[in-house]
Amino acid sequence: MTFDFGPLLPPGIPAAAVKWTGAPRYNFTGGNNDPDGVPVDGLLAAAQTVLSREGRSLATYGLNSGPQGYRPLRDFLAAKLARDAGMTCSADDILIVSGSLQALDLVHAALLARGDTVICERDCYEGTLNRYARLGVNVVGIPLDSGGMNIDALSAALADLKAKGVRPKFIYTIPTVQNPTATILDENRRHALLALAEQYGVPVFEDDCYADLVWTGQRPPALHAMSQTGNVIHIGSFSKSIAPALRVGFIVAPWTILSRMLALKTDAGSGALEQMVLAEFCAAHFDSHLPDLRRGLRAKLDTLMESLNEQFGTAAEFEEPKGGIFLWVKLPDQVDTMKLYQAALADGVAINPGPNWSADKAHSKSRLRLCFASPSHDDIRAGVARLADICRREFGVPARSANIERGV
Ligand SMILES: Cc1ncc(COP(=O)(O)O)c(C=O)c1O
């Protein structure tokens, strides 16, 4: 007997989730990290130390730190953001959340209503685009080039919206290693973006979760740091720098809006153990951990680019990322990556099709996103070879098989 919940479901809830049936053999999807890059020993030692010292504080919701999150973690973040991103903020300006996905939800809950308009990069994080779709928000996608969001296009879009009497709720941007294009918005463009935001009275929503993964270790100042008017909401995460399964992210924003989001965060605090262990680990080891992580990621990117060149030749076009965990690839126009995605998945290769990562489905039809962080070097090589075979079978490209050369 199964009870029928169907008639009880309220209107507008998302389609049912599908059951997980296991990981695909070659997985280039998601924002997963490099398993060898997780500082397991350091996290273990940090857990032991912090729990021995402060474990009794788990008896209180909020760990005696109040509702904004574990105070030592917020202190670490304030110092780190000042040093690396030029931001002036204190622990009081920071709200710890359960991954930056919760940050997205809180910012959206505080600012968006059905029918609103937001501006974002044309190719954009799927988690954000899906939220806009569910919320019934109009999305204006701004084209990107190798320097990130095209500022002339942003200027034209803002002018156009103003002419129509529309004031966008915010400009959402991933300026430092953009998802999916991996572009970095340079400092001049950051100034220009902020000037436009100010001119049109539109706040900026800066999603900065990849900022620690710039290969050189040098990132431009955060938009939050450069703004003179307190019009930037900044969010970040430990998912890409330490581990996504921890589910720890943060929001930095002026109290006028942070207090609204805090009022909307009704979960009585994000996971305490994760916050405690991170604070303990990061205070001593964050800086020495990052170069190791970046080195490992950079090596995997090289393997992926080599494999694509070998297997796809000129059929796969991409710009070399300056950091991050993704490569955004353009295949010939006849390739429909939504169909390639289905065919590849059936053969054990998971990719992210471009249209899911873009506000412009036509522009992204032949594009795909590959995450190179989590598969091993061997799996990157074998997975790309298999993907090339599937793509040739389905679309006739790449025309020539590297397998023939290998005699397979
Ligand atoms: C741009 C961007 N924002 C937010 C997130 C959410 O990350 P998390 O909730 O793990 O912090 C991701 C994850 O891939 C992302 O790419």
Side-chain angles (χ1 to χ4, degrees):
M1 280 276 286
T2 45
F3 183 80
D4 182 12
F5 287 94
L8 304 176
L9 300 176
I13 73 163
V18 288
K19 272 219 171 102
W20 191 64
T21 52
R25 174 65 188 87
Y26 300 105
N27 189 4
F28 295 100
T29 65
N32 298 312
N33 222 319
D34 185 350
D36 295 332
V38 179
V40 176
D41 291 342
L43 293 174
L44 265 174
Q48 173 84 41
T49 308
V50 74
L51 279 178
S52 307
R53 195 180 64 228
E54 294 174 35
R56 291 165 63 82
S57 68
L58 286 166
T60 48
Y61 288 98
L63 298 166
N64 302 323
S65 282
Q68 284 176 244
Y70 184 51
R71 176 81 197 208
L73 187 59
R74 289 187 283 133
D75 286 336
F76 164 77
L77 280 170
K80 173 202 180 306
L81 292 169
R83 190 199 55 201
D84 297 346
M87 287 166 58
T88 308
C89 62
S90 76
D92 290 340
D93 306 311
I94 299 174
L95 173 60
I96 302 289
V97 292
S98 304
S100 49
L101 283 170
Q102 187 179 40
L104 287 172
D105 286 334
L106 292 174
V107 173
H108 295 169
L111 287 172
L112 296 182
R114 188 161 290 275
D116 279 346
T117 296
V118 295
I119 293 180
C120 65
E121 284 125 0
R122 174 167 65 178
D123 303 317
C124 180
Y125 173 46
E126 184 194 38
T128 302
L129 291 174
N130 284 348
R131 280 167 168 72
Y132 294 152
R134 173 139 187 249
L135 289 166
V137 163
N138 304 313
V139 178
V140 177
I142 307 298
L144 296 126
D145 55 37
S146 56
M149 191 188 280
N150 183 303
I151 298 297
D152 290 340
L154 173 64
S155 175
L158 283 163
D160 181 52
L161 288 168
K162 185 167 186 188
K164 292 178 183 146
V166 176
R167 182 183 180 188
K169 280 294 178 77
F170 51 69
I171 302 166
Y172 171 77
T173 176
I174 311 166
T176 317
V177 191
Q178 205 259 351
N179 182 0
T181 61
T183 50
I184 298 178
L185 197 72
D186 69 28
E187 213 170 319
N188 287 337
R189 287 199 193 189
R190 286 176 194 236
H191 278 299
L193 185 151
L194 286 168
L196 284 169
E198 214 175 306
Q199 182 187 338
Y200 285 92
V202 178
V204 176
F205 181 6
E206 174 175 46
D207 187 345
D208 223 23
C209 63
Y210 298 100
D212 291 316
L213 301 185
V214 180
W215 305 141
T216 60
Q218 300 294 318
R219 51 149 308 153
L223 290 161
H224 183 283
M226 295 171 66
S227 166
Q228 307 289 321
T229 59
N231 64 343
V232 178
I233 298 172
H234 177 102
I235 68 170
S237 176
F238 287 94
S239 289
K240 314 302 169 180
S241 54
I242 306 284
L246 291 172
R247 310 308 305 131
V248 181
F250 55 91
I251 306 175
V252 188
W255 180 246
T256 46
I257 189 69
L258 195 70
S259 56
R260 297 294 182 154
M261 297 190 267
L262 183 54
L264 286 158
K265 190 176 188 297
T266 52
D267 58 4
S270 295
L273 272 183
E274 295 85 339
Q275 296 184 58
M276 293 170 88
V277 173
L278 274 174
E280 194 70 24
F281 172 81
C282 290
H285 304 298
F286 192 77
D287 294 347
S288 56
H289 156 71
L290 280 183
D292 291 343
L293 175 65
R294 289 194 291 250
R295 234 186 329 274
L297 292 173
R298 172 73 236 201
K300 286 190 170 181
L301 169 62
D302 285 340
T303 298
L304 176 60
M305 293 192 300
E306 274 163 34
S307 304
L308 284 167
N309 284 333
E310 187 186 320
Q311 299 293 337
F312 282 83
T314 53
E317 295 171 38
F318 50 83
E319 286 195 32
E320 184 175 324
K322 296 192 177 79
I325 57 176
F326 304 119
L327 190 66
W328 182 237
V329 180
K330 167 77 176 70
L331 293 176
D333 288 346
Q334 72 259 39
V335 179
D336 177 337
T337 53
M338 292 304 282
K339 291 191 180 140
L340 178 64
Y341 155 73
Q342 296 288 356
L345 197 58
D347 268 358
V349 184
I351 59 163
N352 287 130
N356 289 352
W357 258 262
S358 184
D360 180 339
K361 307 300 172 207
H363 156 82
S364 55
K365 173 183 160 246
S366 305
R367 291 178 157 85
L368 69 151
R369 194 193 72 164
L370 298 171
C371 172
F372 52 81
S374 79
S376 67
H377 288 269
D378 283 348
D379 280 355
I380 291 173
R381 289 188 200 94
V384 170
R386 193 180 288 189
L387 183 65
D389 286 342
I390 298 162
C391 195
R392 185 177 312 101
R393 186 185 75 210
E394 300 291 322
F395 299 100
V397 288
R400 189 159 175 278
S401 168
N403 288 348
I404 292 168
E405 284 168 9
R406 292 203 311 268
V408 176

